[in-house]
């Protein structure tokens, strides 16, 4: 039995791709495009979207995988009033 039609990723945690780019790199361009259509400034917003995507790629290339998600959890959790900076002890069985 052959798997000619099935694409098997090289790594189990490989991110999803859109053409040649990772999905999280394409999202700023898509969001800027939608915003540009809504405010009737498509070209300006596309240029801003491409600049944000380039900045995001350069920012993430120098950091470990998932760094931005961890940073958002760290900072937005503190803003929302929840204490995201600490977790309960895993060996604790009762919480009072």
């Amino acid at each position: 039995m052959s798997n000619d039609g099935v694409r098997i990723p090289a790594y189990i945690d490989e991110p999803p791709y859109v053409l040649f780019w990772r999905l999280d790199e394409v999202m700023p361009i898509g969001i800027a495009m939608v915003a540009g259509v809504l405010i009737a400034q498509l070209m300006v917003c596309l240029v801003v979207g491409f600049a944000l995507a380039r900045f995001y790629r350069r920012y993430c290339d120098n950091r470990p995988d998932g760094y931005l998600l961890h940073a958002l959890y760290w900072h937005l959790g503190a803003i929302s009033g929840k204490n995201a900076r600490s977790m309960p002890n895993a060996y604790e069985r009762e919480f009072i």
Side-chain angles (χ1 to χ4, degrees):
M1 193 158 140
S2 175
N3 286 341
D4 293 336
V6 178
R7 182 185 170 275
I8 299 174
Y11 301 101
I12 192 73
D13 57 350
E14 185 176 326
Y17 280 82
V18 175
L19 295 178
F20 303 107
W21 303 283
R22 289 192 334 230
L23 182 62
D24 59 342
E25 293 174 355
V26 176
M27 286 181 62
I29 300 168
I31 292 170
M33 188 170 66
V34 170
V37 168
L38 291 175
I39 63 172
Q41 295 292 324
L42 182 62
M43 294 307 289
V44 173
C45 288
L46 276 179
V47 169
V48 170
F50 277 109
L52 285 174
R54 180 177 166 89
F55 173 75
Y56 176 74
R57 177 183 280 184
R58 292 186 64 177
Y59 182 79
C60 289
D61 281 345
N62 297 328
R63 287 164 179 77
D65 291 339
Y67 175 81
L68 191 61
L69 289 176
H70 289 287
L72 286 173
Y73 176 76
W74 180 275
H75 294 293
L76 293 180
I79 292 171
S80 69
K82 296 179 181 175
N83 191 3
R85 297 178 189 264
S86 66
M87 294 183 65
N89 186 356
Y91 297 109
E92 192 77 36
R93 295 291 178 206
E94 282 187 34
F95 293 101
I96 299 175

